[in-house]
Amino acid sequence: MQEYVIHIDFVDCPGLGYEIFRLTELNQVDKIAMEVLPNHGMVIKFRCVSEEQAQKLAGDLTLVSGVKSIVFRDQMPYEEREHELRTILDSVSEGILAVNKKGRISHINEVSCRLLQCGKGVAGLSAAELLGASSLVLDTLRTGKSYRLKEERLQQGGKAIDLFTSTTPVRNEKGQIIGSVATIKDVKQVATMLSKVDKMRRLRSFDDIVYQSPKMRQLVGYASTVAKSSSTVLLRGESGTGKELLAAAIHTEGPRYKAPFLAVNCAALPDTLLESELFGYEEGAFTGAAKGGKKGLFEQADGGTLFLDEIGEISPSVQVRLLRVLQEGTIRRVGGVNEIEVDVRIIAATHCDLEAMICRREFREDLYYRLNVIPLTIPPLRERKEDIPLLAQYLIRKICTKLEKTVVRLTRESIGLLMNQEWPGNVRQLENTLERVINMIDATEIQPGHLRAWTDLSASKRNGGNLYWDKEGLQFELSPDGRWPHLREIVAGVEKEVIQRVLKKYPSSRLAGQVLGVSNTTILNKMKAYGIEE
């Protein structure tokens, strides 16, 4: 017996269906399935002993009044739909499993079969047999409750399988539950996806840089050109101007975008730790060294980009080792003897006056020229005030999303107040200022009064009373009669204020001394004299 499928297209008329079935009986064919296609006739699947018998049936049907055409097909329409559905389900990267209202598996794709360690032959079996009676997909079938990436542990062949499962009920037009669908992911698969997403979030492009000023447009244009090469870049600019963002964009838009982009703040680590982080170490190099040693950032970033932030803070010994990497393209691990070749693009950044440091012999001149191949200077916010309205609205959206608050807007007066500030902390200070205000107010608009109440912004450099403010925000008191204090007192007050501020950002006497151009001993003596605690 052979199977055949015929498509009968006809003009609907009384008794037509009866005549079609009468002819199938006369030709002694075994009908298997029938499907009516609205406005397109019907399709019949049948079995018969020979092709001649099938052709005879087709010929008899063409003589029936109202029949327009008879066409042989390979499959029934529902079989074609089922094949398309299976192809779609098997093409996705996550497991999909569906159960009908009786709790039997109606659909399962290849990913699910792999995760659940079963074959597609489980379709039609009870889901409880495969997944257990307490599985989430059956709970959804019973209760109608949906789950979103809920961790689920299943037992299969005596082995535990950890999954993240999402489920949703399937309802008919009356809202009645007629099945449920589950999507499943392996826990390791989710971890890998999150890692990739995290990496993508860290890597930024030039589209993430918000600006409209001519200075920034020119800078981004230069950076876009520089990104196409692998030359060393030195980013200059004050703290908070976005040097790491620009460095990441240069990497992402360059030929090394598929390789790692790693960043390290050179000022945040002591010399010995910075060396081991950059160059790695061999087993037994020092007490506590990991067994087998450890790759440094240069090895980890091989083929990619290493961003060295606060490069002006590194010690002379690290400067020598870094110079060797730039000259020779090789590194030697701490405690090691072998030279390891590395192919790493360096993007360095600093807010320090490296030229002045060279004059004071605090920074190597030969290293400076190795780093200063392509210098790019990011202008401070006070020199591109036309960017402030655009930046502020961008930051407000970002902050409100993080705080899960409705997005607020700045009034025109508030924008004017923001543009009138000096912003010594640049974009970072602007963001922190806006976040403080958004946290404290419950309004749809940020008014100038909100900014003055919750921040240290003001419309003028004088603040009234007996306080005198300079452009950097340093202050000292005038006497009650308005007379100025002795110069020594003013100098001492300003000196104490400066040291406190620098120590707050660079919490060590060594780093503070480097920033202020004095020795570590001088800073310690000043701290003792002014009663500044470490």
Side-chain angles (χ1 to χ4, degrees):
M1 299 285 282
Q2 298 178 359
E3 293 185 357
Y4 298 90
V5 178
I6 57 173
H7 184 176
I8 309 169
D9 192 11
F10 55 78
V11 178
D12 195 14
C13 58
L16 180 61
Y18 173 80
E19 185 62 19
I20 290 174
F21 280 110
R22 188 182 71 81
L23 287 174
T24 59
E25 293 295 330
L26 286 175
N27 282 274
Q28 297 179 336
V29 300
D30 181 16
K31 293 184 294 297
I32 302 173
M34 183 192 74
E35 185 173 349
V36 176
L37 306 178
N39 302 318
H40 295 287
M42 71 169 65
V43 182
I44 300 175
K45 186 175 185 179
F46 60 91
R47 277 192 294 259
C48 60
V49 294
S50 65
E51 184 176 351
E52 290 78 8
Q53 187 178 5
Q55 291 291 349
K56 182 178 183 305
L57 173 62
D60 291 345
L61 289 172
T62 57
L63 300 176
V64 175
S65 176
V67 171
K68 296 165 62 178
S69 65
I70 302 291
V71 178
F72 281 86
R73 298 174 53 138
D74 294 326
Q75 290 180 307
M76 294 289 289
Y78 74 84
E79 291 174 326
E80 293 176 350
R81 292 193 298 270
E82 182 69 21
H83 176 73
E84 290 175 359
L85 179 59
R86 283 199 305 270
T87 302
I88 293 170
L89 294 179
D90 287 338
S91 69
V92 299
S93 60
E94 59 187 4
I96 299 177
L97 182 145
V99 299
N100 60 24
K101 61 181 178 181
K102 293 182 179 179
R104 295 190 175 277
I105 299 171
S106 57
H107 294 87
I108 184 168
N109 70 347
E110 290 179 353
V111 177
S112 288
C113 291
R114 187 177 71 249
L115 294 176
L116 299 174
Q117 300 174 14
C118 65
K120 287 193 174 182
V122 298
L125 298 180
S126 169
E129 294 180 29
L130 179 65
L131 308 173
S134 60
S135 66
L136 296 177
V137 70
L138 290 177
D139 184 74
T140 297
L141 180 65
R142 290 189 295 266
T143 65
K145 180 181 178 181
S146 296
Y147 292 95
R148 174 70 176 167
L149 289 176
K150 185 175 177 62
E151 195 167 356
E152 183 176 28
R153 170 166 287 191
L154 303 176
Q155 296 293 330
Q156 196 65 258
K159 182 180 178 182
I161 303 174
D162 292 316
L163 304 168
F164 279 114
T165 304
S166 300
T167 64
T168 187
V170 179
R171 301 177 185 272
N172 61 17
E173 294 179 353
K174 296 180 179 179
Q176 299 168 325
I177 298 175
I178 58 173
S180 64
V181 177
T183 57
I184 56 179
K185 291 183 174 68
D186 183 18
V187 170
K188 294 179 181 178
Q189 179 188 11
V190 174
T192 302
M193 289 173 61
L194 291 176
S195 174
K196 289 181 179 178
V197 170
D198 184 54
K199 182 178 180 182
M200 291 173 65
R201 285 175 177 166
R202 287 197 302 270
L203 296 185
R204 304 295 185 88
S205 69
F206 292 117
D207 293 336
D208 296 302
I209 301 175
V210 179
Y211 66 91
Q212 61 182 4
S213 63
K215 282 190 175 182
M216 283 301 295
R217 187 177 298 110
Q218 185 181 54
L219 173 67
V220 172
Y222 289 155
S224 300
T225 302
V226 168
K228 296 178 177 64
S229 73
S230 290
S231 299
T232 301
V233 178
L234 179 61
L235 301 180
R236 312 290 290 266
E238 297 178 4
S239 178
T241 50
K243 294 187 283 292
E244 184 168 353
L245 174 61
L246 184 61
I250 291 173
H251 168 80
T252 305
E253 300 288 340
R256 297 171 178 255
Y257 72 98
K258 291 183 179 180
F261 172 80
L262 301 180
V264 60
N265 187 326
C266 298
L269 300 173
D271 293 344
T272 53
L273 183 55
L274 180 60
E275 283 195 58
S276 63
E277 282 296 308
L278 288 175
F279 307 108
Y281 56 80
E282 296 291 354
E283 181 176 346
F286 50 83
T287 303
K291 186 176 181 179
K294 176 187 174 183
K295 286 185 177 182
L297 293 177
F298 273 101
E299 288 183 75
Q300 296 177 46
D302 190 35
T305 303
L306 182 57
F307 175 57
L308 302 175
D309 198 8
E310 302 295 358
I311 193 69
E313 306 293 345
I314 62 175
S315 67
S317 63
V318 178
Q319 291 181 36
V320 172
R321 298 199 63 171
L322 181 57
L323 177 62
R324 180 173 178 79
V325 179
L326 293 173
Q327 287 177 335
E328 308 296 335
T330 62
I331 61 105
R332 183 183 296 173
R333 293 184 181 181
V334 176
V337 294
N338 297 322
E339 297 290 333
I340 303 171
E341 289 189 6
V342 291
D343 174 25
V344 178
R345 180 182 197 175
I346 298 294
I347 301 179
T350 185
H351 70 282
C352 298
D353 186 345
L354 295 182
E355 293 78 10
M357 292 178 68
I358 292 171
C359 293
R360 297 194 300 267
R361 297 190 175 182
E362 295 172 354
F363 199 85
R364 294 182 63 98
E365 188 173 8
D366 47 4
L367 176 59
Y368 169 78
Y369 288 119
R370 285 285 181 180
L371 293 173
N372 199 43
V373 178
I374 302 178
L376 295 175
T377 300
I378 305 177
L381 198 53
R382 62 182 172 275
E383 293 180 9
R384 52 183 182 108
K385 291 192 173 183
E386 55 266 62
D387 288 338
I388 290 177
L390 200 63
L391 264 172
Q393 289 299 338
Y394 168 80
L395 293 171
I396 285 172
R397 288 193 298 271
K398 173 184 169 183
I399 294 164
C400 289
T401 300
K402 182 178 76 172
L403 300 178
E404 297 183 350
K405 297 186 70 171
T406 303
V407 177
V408 298
R409 61 178 294 272
L410 286 162
T411 64
R412 182 177 301 177
E413 295 75 15
S414 295
I415 293 174
L417 180 58
L418 293 178
M419 293 181 71
N420 193 42
Q421 306 305 308
E422 292 298 312
W423 300 113
N426 294 291
V427 179
R428 185 182 296 118
Q429 183 188 4
L430 174 62
E431 181 173 6
N432 292 342
T433 297
L434 292 170
E435 184 168 351
R436 188 188 316 158
V437 172
I438 292 169
N439 265 295
M440 302 307 297
I441 69 171
D442 185 17
T444 58
E445 291 185 332
I446 298 178
Q447 301 284 347
H450 295 141
L451 293 170
R452 295 193 182 99
W454 297 109
T455 69
D456 54 1
L457 304 185
S458 60
S460 64
K461 300 289 184 277
R462 295 272 183 170
N463 201 18
N466 293 324
L467 291 180
Y468 176 82
W469 295 75
D470 78 348
K471 67 178 182 179
E472 298 299 331
L474 301 178
Q475 62 178 1
F476 54 88
E477 291 189 3
L478 300 176
S479 61
D481 59 1
R483 289 183 301 173
W484 288 63
H486 195 281
L487 181 61
R488 285 195 304 272
E489 297 174 21
I490 295 175
V491 172
V494 173
E495 190 174 53
K496 178 180 179 181
E497 180 85 10
V498 169
I499 292 173
Q500 286 176 322
R501 290 192 178 203
V502 171
L503 283 170
K504 188 174 182 181
K505 184 173 182 182
Y506 304 96
S508 79
S509 56
R510 180 182 66 82
L511 292 176
Q514 289 181 2
V515 171
L516 296 175
V518 296
S519 67
N520 175 44
T521 304
T522 299
I523 294 295
L524 290 173
N525 290 337
K526 295 288 185 182
M527 291 170 64
K528 183 177 180 180
Y530 296 135
I532 301 172
E533 296 182 0
E534 291 192 48

